[in-house]
Amino acid sequence: MTDSSPAVAPEDASENAFQDAGAAAPDVVQEPRLWHKDGWMARVIKNEDDDGWAVEMIKDGEPEPALVGPWTMGRDKKNPKPLDTSAFNTLVKTASEVLRRHEQQLRALLHKRVGLSTGEGDIDVTLDIVPDEYEPYALLTALDAFGEQIAQVRVAPTFKLTQARAQTWAEGGFGRID
């Protein structure tokens, strides 16, 4: 019985011998229904809502897909169209934008800012909510026109920052808020 596997040229073998065994090669998969490249995985799945197909984009390390959307049927009208470079790149761009918007929305929910004019100059008052699983809290901070911290107090995560409350805090000398 003869071995049909291709022979390895000596220069190929010596080149591989110098590669760092501890360095992980990039995990690139490019199959018709599964692509994994540059920290993203695109997977074509059966659409649970109808007879069609869907594609989900999952960022490495994330438990949930960042994007799930309809996927095109192939020419046979039964199977999905295979993934390709162009489609994968478009899906990565779209999923990245979805994540970016989600992060912006979360930041807007957890960070508020109010500007004040006082006798000592302009002041920014910020409220940063720290959504700790066990003990959430918020930090109310006063910053001068140069961004230097004037005062900071810990408040309840339900504290509502308004222009009037910030003004009252400043007029009271930035003391503790109950």
Side-chain angles (χ1 to χ4, degrees):
M1 187 164 145
T2 61
D3 183 14
S4 62
S5 62
V8 176
E11 61 272 1
D12 290 343
S14 64
E15 186 176 310
N16 290 339
F18 292 108
Q19 290 180 350
D20 181 5
D27 190 17
V28 175
V29 177
Q30 293 180 332
E31 298 174 3
R33 293 188 191 178
L34 177 70
W35 275 49
H36 185 255
K37 184 178 173 187
D38 299 331
W40 285 96
M41 180 174 59
R43 185 168 57 183
V44 177
I45 56 174
K46 190 74 175 141
N47 189 341
E48 297 172 6
D49 297 334
D50 63 21
D51 292 333
W53 295 89
V55 64
E56 63 181 7
M57 291 297 294
I58 302 171
K59 188 166 179 67
D60 285 355
E62 295 296 323
E64 296 290 322
L67 175 73
V68 177
W71 188 245
T72 308
M73 296 287 263
R75 291 186 177 172
D76 66 0
K77 303 296 180 204
K78 289 183 183 177
N79 294 306
K81 177 182 162 189
L83 288 163
D84 60 22
T85 301
S86 176
F88 182 78
N89 290 340
T90 300
L91 288 165
V92 167
K93 182 178 178 183
T94 304
S96 296
E97 181 66 20
V98 167
L99 288 180
R100 189 180 67 76
R101 287 183 186 163
H102 178 73
E103 288 168 0
Q104 286 177 336
Q105 182 183 19
L106 184 60
R107 171 110 173 107
L109 289 173
L110 300 177
H111 180 80
K112 305 286 183 198
R113 185 187 84 58
V114 171
L116 300 176
S117 291
T118 67
E120 289 82 40
D122 292 339
I123 294 175
D124 282 336
V125 177
T126 62
L127 177 71
D128 290 295
I129 299 171
V130 180
D132 186 89
E133 186 176 344
Y134 301 106
E135 292 185 37
Y137 63 94
L139 293 174
L140 189 63
T141 308
L143 304 166
D144 67 14
F146 301 106
E148 296 293 322
Q149 183 175 310
I150 300 169
Q152 186 175 66
V153 294
R154 189 171 171 155
V155 294
T158 56
F159 182 86
K160 302 291 183 214
L161 178 60
T162 64
Q163 188 83 25
R165 288 185 99 176
Q167 191 72 44
T168 302
W169 185 49
E171 290 170 357
F174 304 106
R176 185 182 146 115
I177 294 182
D178 293 317

